[in-house]
Amino acid sequence: MPLAGDNLRLSVNAFFVTDGTRSVLIDTGASNVWHDPTMGLIYDALDEAGIDRAHVTDVAITHNHEDHVSGLIAPDGSEAFSKLERVWIGAGDTTVFTGRLEPIRDRVVPVSEKVAINDWTTAIPTPGHTPGHTIYDVRSGTGHLLVWGDTVHVPTLQFDQPNVSWEFDGNQSQARAARATLLEQLTQPHHFVAGAHLDSPGIARVTPSGNGYALEYLAPPIG
């Protein structure tokens, strides 16, 4: 596994998806809540990509952990997305909108069942990692992109051995079952995965390999 000093190195990714007219930002990173200079860089990344934060109206959150939801609030305490209209999140995870995130609460849309959030993105509850863990199936003429949050944390281990669970999975048996279902789905043609903790750039194909799976990144991993 890749290490940084004596620590496990994990990427923390978010994904901006657009059809040229409408868009959705899936997850928002950690902002400054972890006080780590390698975290909270989503605002710089959006700037680099030429994306005006003021144009972000919809944010979809995979689950309520700090490294996914905290970026809704900028380090200076202001709302990071001034035109925000909706925040989609699993119904079991909505209690996170207190304290620092309280100003966003009135725009939260709880997801309790499979539901379309726009013409080409569907929210699908996948509880296990958290009670409200949710994936987002993004469809186009090319196929399906499953943005799967924390279904896998350690890609160098959990694709080869998908039964291995992470200690932060709230319900490990549920998380394991969700991972097995999604991995099998991803072996179908024209299916791709976008993972919060896959190595950057975080988008890949999945193929069967022995008793597990292999991961083929769409571009060489960075870092």
Side-chain angles (χ1 to χ4, degrees):
M1 301 180 195
L3 298 178
D6 294 328
N7 297 313
L8 178 66
R9 178 189 177 280
L10 291 179
S11 293
V12 178
N13 304 313
F15 300 92
F16 181 82
V17 189
T18 183
D19 66 1
T21 302
R22 297 154 303 171
S23 61
V24 60
L25 177 64
I26 304 179
D27 284 342
T28 64
S31 189
N32 62 331
V33 299
W34 282 0
H35 305 288
D36 183 326
T38 69
M39 299 286 287
L41 301 179
I42 189 170
Y43 316 118
D44 295 328
L46 290 170
D47 288 344
E48 184 178 347
I51 298 164
D52 186 344
R53 281 193 270 152
H55 293 162
V56 176
T57 60
D58 282 75
V59 172
I61 300 294
T62 59
H63 64 289
N64 62 5
H65 287 169
E66 288 181 331
D67 54 330
H68 298 260
V69 71
S70 298
L72 287 164
I73 300 296
D76 65 3
S78 66
E79 290 190 21
F81 308 102
S82 60
K83 303 298 185 182
L84 185 66
E85 297 176 4
R86 290 167 292 270
V87 179
W88 306 82
I89 189 171
D93 285 358
T94 58
T95 56
V96 73
F97 290 96
T98 59
R100 185 175 182 272
L101 295 174
E102 177 70 32
I104 309 294
R105 175 180 284 277
D106 63 337
R107 280 153 287 173
V108 170
V109 182
V111 175
S112 57
E113 59 185 3
K114 185 175 179 179
V115 63
I117 69 172
N118 59 34
D119 292 345
W120 36 264
T121 302
T122 300
I124 305 172
T126 54
H129 180 59
T130 64
H133 192 272
T134 300
I135 71 163
Y136 296 90
D137 180 4
V138 182
R139 304 173 308 283
S140 75
T142 303
H144 293 258
L145 178 70
L146 300 186
V147 188
W148 73 356
D150 281 13
T151 301
V152 160
H153 289 84
V154 188
T156 52
L157 174 64
Q158 288 180 291
F159 283 92
D160 183 54
Q161 301 180 56
N163 284 332
V164 174
S165 291
W166 181 255
E167 66 177 328
F168 293 116
D169 287 337
N171 184 317
Q172 293 193 359
S173 61
Q174 271 191 326
R176 190 179 296 114
R179 182 164 52 252
T181 298
L182 291 169
L183 283 168
E184 190 60 29
Q185 181 179 353
L186 283 161
T187 63
Q188 299 177 32
H190 312 298
H191 279 66
F192 307 87
V193 63
H197 300 304
L198 301 187
D199 293 332
S200 181
I203 300 176
R205 295 184 180 92
V206 175
T207 56
S209 178
N211 294 323
Y213 299 86
L215 195 63
E216 177 190 355
Y217 286 101
L218 298 193
I222 300 168

